[in-house]
Amino acid sequence: MSEPDQTSPEVAATLFDLAREGATETLTQYLDDGAPAGLTNDAGDSLLMLAAYHSHVDTVAALLKRGADPNHANAKGQTPLAGAVFKGSETIVRALLDAGADPAAGFPSAMEAARMFGKTDMLALFER
């Protein structure tokens, strides 16, 4: 059984800022010291979602390496993969797919987002 998350609100806010800013080195220090890679905020956004949406490749890789769930959807049903598709970050899309992200998961799914925003290059990545 895993232990409950004991991250204080202040530390959590810092972690979300670090993920959003792509401060990979500092964020990984917190994670390696025991902060949960799957931490989510009030909106259900995970650290991975914020890093992916803000196109921080190294931060996404560090979070995935430390067990962040590539399929975790926020409270609106959005996944990190859909966010990366929306932002057009092929490198992050590939990293998430390699980590097991499901292009059909969430709402809108990454596949639906790619169609909605005319990102045919992203659709091609899902066919590999």
Side-chain angles (χ1 to χ4, degrees), residues 3-9 11 34 36 39:
E3 293 183 30
D5 175 24
Q6 299 298 321
T7 306
S8 73
V11 171
L39 186 67

Side-chain angles (χ1 to χ4, degrees), residues 2 16 19 28 36 45 70-71 81-82 95 100 108 112-115 119 121 125-126:
S2 64
F16 292 120
T28 56
D45 289 325
N71 289 307
L81 185 58
E112 292 168 331
R115 287 186 195 106
K119 300 196 180 256
D121 56 327
L125 295 175
F126 303 147

